[in-house]
């Protein structure tokens, strides 16, 4: 799948969430809650790393477990990996239902409780 199509699908998931917006940050499309808090960053071959991916915060322990068990799909991203953020590849066989869950989990971790509760469980 072409990078543009992957970006469009990711964009649709992110912008479907309450009070989200998109703007460029560090040269890549990035999604914010209430224009301030980042919850997903697109990464199109960041520093020539040969990955089409996105980065997002993950629940405690999720990054370590996913990177260990599925290193072809998940990675520890630069700059934010030390804070538990997860790198998710989009240039492999992608399960968009799983991507939606990961994006929603990231949103819940960053959003104010009044917005996070709108997603349900």
């Amino acid at each position: 799948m072409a990078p543009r199509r992957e970006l469009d699908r990711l964009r649709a998931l992110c912008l479907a969430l309450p009070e989200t917006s998109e703007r460029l940050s560090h040269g890549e499309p990035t999604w914010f809650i209430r224009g301030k808090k980042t919850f997903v960053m697109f990464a199109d071959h960041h520093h020539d790393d040969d990955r089409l991916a996105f980065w997002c915060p993950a629940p405690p322990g999720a990054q370590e477990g996913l990177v260990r068990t599925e290193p072809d799909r998940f990675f520890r991203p630069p700059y934010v990996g030390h804070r538990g953020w997860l790198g998710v590849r989009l240039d492999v066989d992608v399960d968009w239902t799983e991507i939606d869950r990961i994006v929603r989990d990231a949103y819940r971790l960053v959003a104010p409780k009044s917005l996070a509760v709108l997603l349900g469980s």
Side-chain angles (χ1 to χ4, degrees), residues 6 10 42-43 45 49-55 70-76 86-96 98-99 102:
E6 300 292 353
L10 182 63
F42 188 67
H45 301 89
D49 71 0
D50 290 332
R51 292 184 188 127
L52 181 68
F54 70 92
W55 308 345
E70 299 185 70
D72 293 340
R73 296 178 56 223
F74 301 103
F75 62 97
R76 185 176 191 254
L86 180 65
V88 182
R89 293 192 71 151
L90 296 174
D91 55 0
V92 296
D93 187 25
V94 176
D95 176 348
W96 284 99
E98 179 183 44
I99 298 300
I102 291 169

Side-chain angles (χ1 to χ4, degrees), residues 56-70 74-76 80-87 101-102 105 109:
C56 64
Q63 179 207 78
E64 295 82 5
L66 290 169
V67 170
R68 184 179 62 253
T69 60
E70 299 185 70
F74 301 103
F75 62 97
R76 185 176 191 254
V80 293
H82 70 280
R83 292 188 291 157
W85 280 47
L86 180 65
R101 182 185 51 77
I102 291 169
D105 285 348
L109 287 169

Side-chain angles (χ1 to χ4, degrees), residues 2-68:
R4 179 68 192 189
R5 185 153 180 217
E6 300 292 353
L7 173 58
D8 289 345
R9 289 192 76 174
L10 182 63
R11 176 179 284 128
L13 294 175
C14 292
L15 293 177
L17 300 171
E19 298 190 41
T20 59
S21 60
E22 176 184 338
R23 69 177 182 270
L24 291 180
S25 178
H26 301 89
E28 297 281 10
T30 303
W31 292 273
F32 297 85
I33 299 169
R34 292 187 171 162
K36 296 178 184 174
K37 295 186 174 196
T38 303
F39 74 103
V40 172
M41 300 175 68
F42 188 67
D44 186 0
H45 301 89
H46 184 76
H47 293 301
D48 299 318
D49 71 0
D50 290 332
R51 292 184 188 127
L52 181 68
F54 70 92
W55 308 345
C56 64
Q63 179 207 78
E64 295 82 5
L66 290 169
V67 170
R68 184 179 62 253

